[in-house]
Amino acid sequence: METFLIVTQIILAILIILIVLINVTKGSEYGAVFRGAEAIFGGAGPTNFLNKVTMILVLLFFLNSILLTKVFTEKHKPLMLKTGIPQSPVSNETFPPTPPSIPIPPKEPLKFPESTK
C-alpha cells in the first residue's frame, strides 16, 4: 500500500509539472502553438480545461500526501514508541551552574575623595 501511494505521488507530481508547463495564459508567447486547441476545448481555449485539471491534480496530490503520512505513521508507530525521546541523565546540579566565586561589592557606601578647588 505504501509503495502504491509513493508511486502515485511521483506520478501526480510529474503530471502537475507538465500541466503547469503547458498551461497557456494571456500574453503567453507560446499561445500560438495551442491556437488549434480552440476547436477542441471551445472558444476559451485550453486554459479553463487546464486550470480544472491542475486543480484536480493538486487536490489529489494533497489528499495522497495526507494518506501517505497516515499510512507511514501507522506502519512505523511501534518503532517510534520503542525508541521514544532520548533522555539525558538527571543530576542534582542547577542549570546553568553558578561560578564558584562571585565577587560581592561592599555594603558600605562609596567614599569619593574630595576635590580641591
Side-chain angles (χ1 to χ4, degrees):
M1 178 74 172
E2 188 176 353
T3 307
F4 173 74
L5 289 175
I6 291 172
V7 170
T8 305
Q9 190 80 351
I10 293 170
I11 291 171
L12 285 171
I14 292 170
L15 287 175
I16 290 171
I17 291 169
L18 292 175
I19 291 291
V20 168
L21 286 176
I22 64 170
N23 200 353
V24 180
T25 59
K26 288 185 178 180
S28 176
E29 309 227 346
Y30 300 106
V33 176
F34 297 105
R35 293 286 183 226
E38 290 178 5
I40 298 171
F41 297 110
T47 55
N48 288 337
F49 174 74
L50 290 178
N51 286 341
K52 289 177 184 176
V53 170
T54 304
M55 287 191 306
I56 291 170
L57 287 175
V58 168
L59 181 66
L60 289 174
F61 186 85
F62 179 73
L63 292 175
N64 193 41
S65 297
I66 292 174
L67 189 61
L68 189 59
T69 303
K70 176 119 176 97
V71 168
F72 184 79
T73 305
E74 291 297 322
K75 181 178 178 183
H76 298 286
K77 187 180 277 188
L79 180 63
M80 286 188 260
L81 291 176
K82 284 180 188 175
T83 57
I85 299 172
Q87 297 187 4
S88 61
V90 179
S91 64
N92 293 333
E93 293 182 24
T94 60
F95 290 99
T98 56
S101 62
I102 298 176
I104 300 173
K107 294 185 180 183
E108 299 174 9
L110 294 175
K111 297 178 182 175
F112 295 104
E114 292 183 26
S115 62
T116 55
K117 289 187 181 182

